[in-house]
Amino acid sequence: MLATVLSAALKGIDAFTVRLEADLARQGMPAFTMVGLAEGAVRESRERVFAALKNSGFKLPPARITINLAPADMRKEGSGFDLPLAMALLVAGGSLPPEAVAGYYFAGELSLTGEIKPVPGILPLAVRARQEGAAGVLVPAANAAEAAVVRDLPVYGVDNLAQAVAFLTGQEELTPASVDVDTLWDEHQAFPFDFSEVKGQEHAKRAIEIAAAGGHNLLFIGPPGSGKTMLAQRIPTVLPPLRFEEALEVTKIYSVAGQLGRDMALVVNRAFRSPHHTISDAGLIGGGAFPRPGEVSLAHRGVLFLDELPEFKKHVLEVLRQPLEAGEVTISRAAGSLRYPADFMLVAAMNPCPCGYFSDPRHTCTCRPEAIQRYRSRLSGPLLDRIDLQVEVPAVPYEDLKRTRGGSGSRQIRERIMRTRERQAERYAAAGFLTNSQLSGALLEKHCPLTETEHAFLEQAVRALGLSARAYTRVLRIARTIADLESAERLGVDHLAEAINYRIMDRQREA
């Protein structure tokens, strides 16, 4: 008998429908054949499924079994095909009527006892099932809340194989899983940090406000203990809340990566990812035989913080160029080429020299000039050009440390940033982007017009600092954000001067 059961496989952060066909032929010697570009754990599913069926009280007749995963030209991986394979075998063996599984999508890993374990990528599967007009999805109970984020799709969480069969045959009723998205937003949008805890560093706080308002990248340069990491950790607290569409996209990434916790149905806070400097390029960008998202994708719509930036391997830093420009990363392997979203705000920190105390009046720098030059040369010019704001963070004086509070809190800063972002969203609505950091070409000229006075000032700065064309563009973008924070329609010399002041590496290189 031939049976067909629906499931889905991943391609990037999206899923495509897989028709799992099972044929049980009573003629010939018993055998098991699986075709359709099944890889790794999919091929191993035979042993898990047969043991789970036996230990759940189901018997299959001796037969020549052929399994086809269609479309046959698309690779499939993972243990999520265990449950649909078990259902297909039960239908083909006569233990389940074909109409019982019609219209349902299935996914889940089976233990040898028949327990259904969670698998990554359930949210993309649920999205695909809704697009195809499915009657519902049967997924592991631990994944039910994740799938229930998708509206207008019945989601049934099952604990074991016997329960799934009982539900499909009408012997047991299951209540569709539900998630109150508004409650999720209220419960999880709390931060353990606040900018009111930061004392001093007003120049750095101003730079953060500009960077967050315009979606610009940011580099902190200062001695150890000056508060670079403390400042960076608080940046998510002033970023605008994720919109539902953004939260869904971020959650799909975490679902595919297998980093969505059981109690985390939807990622509602902007990410703050801080990988160690020993990370590989595959860990940062993504990779593997079957590519998985890296840190740049896990930081999508949030913050990627690279502490001790020069300590990262140079080739690892250089692979950041594409995502910083395109907002996505393309990973090519023998198994195929995939794209993952990677639209993040890069925040980095570094010491001014190997010992950390160059230009610090309270400590003596022990580094030789050539050692300082080698240290800074680990960061290439093209990479520095892509970091819009480069800010010095000096040691905090005692007068600032003894204050009881550190100035504006995250809530006040966030309100100013949100007003500025609203202005940008309205201005660029027809262009299809949201922030000044994406301005380029004709739109840059249109929204950053300069008079002869501003042109003369900027020309002098470009010549004095040796700014590249990319750095020139970024100065204009930063100036546009500074003007937006002040609700100014046109750019002025003061806006340009402040923007240039945030290019400290260019000034030091020229010096």
Side-chain angles (χ1 to χ4, degrees):
M1 182 177 176
L2 179 66
T4 300
V5 171
L6 299 177
S7 187
L10 297 172
K11 185 177 182 181
I13 64 167
D14 296 313
F16 60 91
T17 298
V18 174
R19 296 174 62 85
L20 197 150
E21 301 169 337
D23 179 64
L24 268 66
R26 302 296 179 91
Q27 299 84 11
M29 294 292 292
F32 184 93
T33 304
M34 180 178 288
V35 297
L37 284 183
E39 300 290 336
V42 183
R43 290 194 171 278
E44 294 172 355
S45 64
R46 166 190 171 180
E47 308 303 332
R48 292 192 300 273
V49 170
F50 282 1
L53 287 171
K54 181 189 70 173
N55 293 323
S56 298
F58 301 104
K59 292 184 178 181
L60 292 177
R64 191 177 184 86
I65 301 172
T66 303
I67 305 296
N68 178 43
L69 303 175
D73 61 339
M74 302 286 286
R75 293 182 182 271
K76 298 94 182 173
E77 63 161 342
S79 57
F81 291 101
D82 288 5
L83 181 58
L85 175 57
M87 292 299 165
L89 291 174
L90 289 173
V91 173
S95 298
L96 266 178
E99 57 272 16
V101 298
Y104 284 99
Y105 276 64
F106 299 85
E109 176 185 332
L110 290 175
S111 71
L112 301 186
T113 62
E115 179 186 358
I116 301 177
K117 298 181 178 180
V119 293
I122 288 296
L123 179 57
L125 176 143
V127 172
R128 182 64 182 177
R130 185 187 63 180
Q131 292 172 345
E132 295 295 322
V137 296
L138 264 72
V139 298
N143 291 128
E146 173 188 345
V149 171
V150 180
R151 300 186 178 103
D152 303 321
L153 176 72
V155 175
Y156 301 97
V158 286
D159 292 307
N160 53 66
L161 185 58
Q163 184 184 33
V165 172
F167 167 71
L168 293 171
T169 55
Q171 300 174 33
E172 181 177 339
E173 289 188 7
L174 292 177
T175 302
S178 62
V179 171
D180 188 337
V181 175
D182 294 332
T183 301
L184 284 178
W185 241 274
D186 295 337
E187 289 180 351
H188 296 286
Q189 278 203 320
F191 296 96
F193 307 118
D194 194 277
F195 263 102
S196 62
E197 302 161 348
V198 181
K199 299 176 182 179
Q201 303 297 10
E202 297 304 321
H203 180 61
K205 291 180 189 176
R206 169 69 172 171
I208 287 173
E209 186 168 341
I210 294 169
H216 304 290
N217 301 318
L218 177 62
L219 172 64
F220 292 131
I221 306 164
S226 58
K228 302 185 294 295
T229 301
M230 184 180 187
L231 287 163
Q233 289 174 335
R234 283 153 180 77
I235 292 177
T237 70
V238 299
L239 293 174
L242 287 170
R243 293 176 286 115
F244 177 76
E245 294 77 12
E246 292 177 324
L248 195 63
E249 186 178 30
V250 173
T251 306
K252 286 169 69 176
I253 297 171
Y254 276 74
S255 176
V256 169
Q259 295 198 21
L260 200 62
R262 178 166 185 164
D263 298 326
M264 188 187 299
L266 188 70
V267 177
V268 298
N269 286 327
R270 294 187 183 270
F272 181 84
R273 306 291 300 186
S274 181
H276 193 261
H277 64 259
T278 56
I279 192 171
S280 66
D281 52 355
L284 188 64
I285 296 298
F290 292 91
R292 283 288 181 263
E295 290 292 333
V296 296
S297 295
L298 294 171
H300 183 59
R301 305 296 185 188
V303 175
L304 176 66
F305 178 53
L306 303 183
D307 200 4
E308 303 295 344
L309 187 64
E311 301 300 331
F312 285 79
K313 297 180 180 68
K314 191 164 186 176
H315 72 276
V316 172
L317 293 179
E318 293 306 306
V319 297
L320 282 172
R321 292 192 196 180
Q322 184 206 3
L324 285 176
E325 287 291 329
E328 64 179 14
V329 60
T330 303
I331 306 171
S332 296
R333 295 289 186 272
S337 180
L338 296 177
R339 290 185 179 182
Y340 287 113
D343 185 6
F344 57 90
M345 177 181 173
L346 174 64
V347 180
M350 63 177 286
N351 296 327
C353 65
C355 78
Y357 295 110
F358 180 76
S359 74
D360 186 349
R362 299 186 301 180
H363 296 84
T364 301
C365 176
T366 60
C367 303
R368 296 176 63 86
E370 55 269 24
I372 297 175
Q373 180 61 32
R374 282 197 304 271
Y375 180 75
R376 294 185 179 181
S377 66
R378 296 177 188 176
L379 306 179
S380 68
L383 178 62
L384 287 174
D385 277 351
R386 288 170 168 82
I387 301 178
D388 305 4
L389 291 88
Q390 304 156 2
V391 184
E392 188 171 13
V393 184
V396 183
Y398 183 77
E399 290 74 16
D400 291 334
L401 289 175
K402 69 181 182 181
R403 294 177 185 172
T404 56
R405 290 186 61 83
S408 297
S410 294
R411 182 176 179 180
Q412 292 83 2
I413 299 173
R414 180 190 243 188
E415 289 174 354
R416 295 196 294 266
I417 289 171
M418 288 179 65
R419 286 196 298 269
T420 304
R421 287 228 179 178
E422 287 169 4
R423 290 172 60 89
Q424 295 170 67
E426 183 179 350
R427 181 192 301 141
Y428 307 131
F433 57 88
L434 299 173
T435 60
N436 290 326
S437 63
Q438 297 167 287
L439 265 178
S440 62
L443 286 176
L444 186 70
E445 295 181 2
K446 176 182 178 182
H447 297 294
C448 300
L450 302 178
T451 65
E452 288 300 321
T453 302
E454 284 99 34
H455 271 301
F457 174 82
L458 196 52
E459 181 181 4
Q460 182 180 2
V462 168
R463 289 182 176 177
L465 300 177
L467 298 181
S468 67
R470 183 180 287 113
Y472 163 80
T473 298
R474 294 188 185 280
V475 166
L476 288 180
R477 291 173 179 173
I478 298 167
R480 179 68 268 173
T481 301
I482 294 171
D484 287 339
L485 281 166
E486 298 175 1
S487 301
E489 292 298 326
R490 295 184 61 86
L491 303 188
V493 171
D494 54 338
H495 303 137
L496 294 169
E498 185 176 2
I500 292 171
N501 192 44
Y502 293 121
R503 301 290 301 182
I504 186 174
M505 295 295 281
D506 295 321
R507 302 204 308 272
Q508 290 180 351
R509 189 164 55 213
E510 180 61 21

